Amino acid sequence: HGDLTCVPERIRGVECEHFSFDSGYAPPPEEPGAERWQGYARNRRAHAWVVRGEPERPWLVCIHGYRLGIPAIDLPAFRVEELTGRLGLNLLLPVLPLHGPRRQGRRSGDGFLSANVIDTLHAEAHAMWDLRRMLGWVRAQGAPAVGAYGLSLGGYTVSLLAALDPDLACVVAGIPVADVTRLYGRHTPELHRLEATLSGLEEQHMEEILRVVSPLALPCRVPKAGRSIFAAVADRLATPDHARDLWRHWDEPTIVWYQGGHLTFGSRPEVRNHLEATFRGLSQVGGA
């Protein structure tokens, strides 16, 4: 990345680096919504936070959830001090399109999930473009292995990435969304759904449009032993059927269910033990 900038920062006691570069992503001009998407000026620059020790150690890409992309929240959510300190992993925390420093609305994430389904399509396609460029940079550092770990919307995004990148050592989808159309149908206020219907957008149209960026429509390229999921039995946001359907699509790999809701996984020992075992395995790749 010739235009890459790197600024050292200290966030919540963690020494890290704020990377940014011009993304270079542009939808084909003939696609619906392409001109509007290119008009989101702040979104055209990609951002990530990096926490690293020895560059030749294994790396883990940690992808945040909806409304986040804010390092003061994301770093503790992923327990970066444990991952870098005890396990010796290098970490890359990308910012999804329309989030954090890339936001276009008042709040981080505005426009990513909305009735404007074409923007959701471009957002996920843009995320894949940026993530694959970042993976190229990580591998150029000499990484012997790279894993991916996502939470909520990040779980959806890593699942899609695992269908496109053949060289990920592992993928963990935490409290994952697996179907954006289903999420929309369950959580969109009735008035907004009515507005969408009156404008001609039905849920079956939304499903057809988003199929090209659906992790349930593409085979996972990570070996089955490297796939895993954790989810909450009482999740009212990414309801348990999302994790169930992803698990079935992934040929029923390891799945950890915990008693709790969408954001209580951090206190559950069964989740922490699973993540410890998974990422300890990643840290040992390459004879480390």
Side-chain angles (χ1 to χ4, degrees):
H1 305 298
D3 57 342
L4 178 70
T5 63
C6 172
V7 179
E9 294 185 358
R10 183 178 178 85
I11 299 172
R12 295 216 169 177
V14 177
E15 301 291 339
C16 56
E17 301 161 272
H18 178 189
F19 279 54
S20 69
F21 58 92
D22 289 337
S23 165
Y25 174 79
E30 66 275 11
E31 284 193 7
E35 185 177 353
R36 180 179 64 246
W37 187 257
Q38 284 301 92
Y40 300 151
R42 296 176 68 184
N43 192 51
R44 294 202 299 266
R45 191 158 183 88
H47 294 260
W49 272 264
V50 173
V51 187
R52 57 178 166 173
E54 301 173 17
E56 67 276 8
R57 296 278 295 149
W59 286 69
L60 182 64
V61 180
C62 301
I63 304 182
H64 64 80
Y66 184 50
R67 298 286 186 203
L68 297 176
I70 302 163
I73 300 174
D74 296 344
L75 293 172
F78 286 105
R79 299 183 180 273
V80 298
E81 290 176 301
E82 294 180 20
L83 294 172
T84 57
R86 277 194 307 109
L87 299 182
L89 294 170
N90 295 300
L91 304 181
L92 174 74
L93 288 85
V95 177
L96 291 175
L98 301 180
H99 284 76
R102 310 178 72 172
R103 71 183 184 275
Q104 295 299 310
R106 184 175 60 85
R107 294 182 298 172
S108 179
D110 277 356
F112 196 110
L113 298 174
S114 71
N116 191 338
V117 64
I118 297 298
D119 273 1
T120 301
L121 170 65
H122 289 316
E124 273 299 330
H126 197 155
M128 290 303 105
W129 171 281
D130 289 346
L131 286 168
R132 298 188 76 185
R133 290 194 72 191
M134 291 179 193
L135 283 171
W137 177 84
V138 163
R139 288 168 175 144
Q141 309 307 300
V146 183
Y149 169 28
L151 294 171
S152 194
L153 176 61
Y156 181 102
T157 303
V158 295
S159 300
L160 181 58
L161 182 65
L164 299 178
D165 190 294
D167 298 318
L168 290 174
C170 65
V171 56
V172 179
I175 49 171
V177 171
D179 185 332
V180 171
T181 305
R182 191 184 312 167
L183 192 76
Y184 171 84
R186 284 199 176 134
H187 298 297
T188 301
E190 188 63 36
L191 179 60
H192 290 179
R193 282 210 299 271
L194 178 60
E195 289 175 352
T197 300
L198 291 174
S199 68
L201 178 63
E202 301 285 353
E203 283 188 26
Q204 64 266 28
H205 300 149
M206 191 176 204
E207 184 175 1
E208 183 178 354
I209 291 167
L210 292 178
R211 182 174 174 80
V212 295
V213 290
S214 169
L216 298 180
L218 298 166
C220 183
R221 302 181 75 180
V222 174
K224 183 179 175 181
R227 310 170 193 170
S228 66
I229 301 165
F230 66 84
V233 298
D235 200 326
R236 299 294 298 276
L237 184 59
T239 47
D241 51 295
H242 286 263
R244 177 205 64 201
D245 289 355
L246 183 63
W247 173 73
R248 288 174 176 169
H249 181 67
W250 278 3
D251 195 25
E252 302 183 0
T254 298
I255 186 167
V256 176
W257 291 101
Y258 67 92
Q259 297 291 328
H262 193 62
L263 297 178
T264 61
F265 63 90
S267 63
R268 303 305 306 176
E270 59 268 45
V271 174
R272 297 193 67 175
N273 291 341
H274 172 64
L275 293 175
E276 167 85 16
T278 300
F279 299 144
R280 186 168 295 282
L282 175 63
S283 75
Q284 293 168 354
V285 173

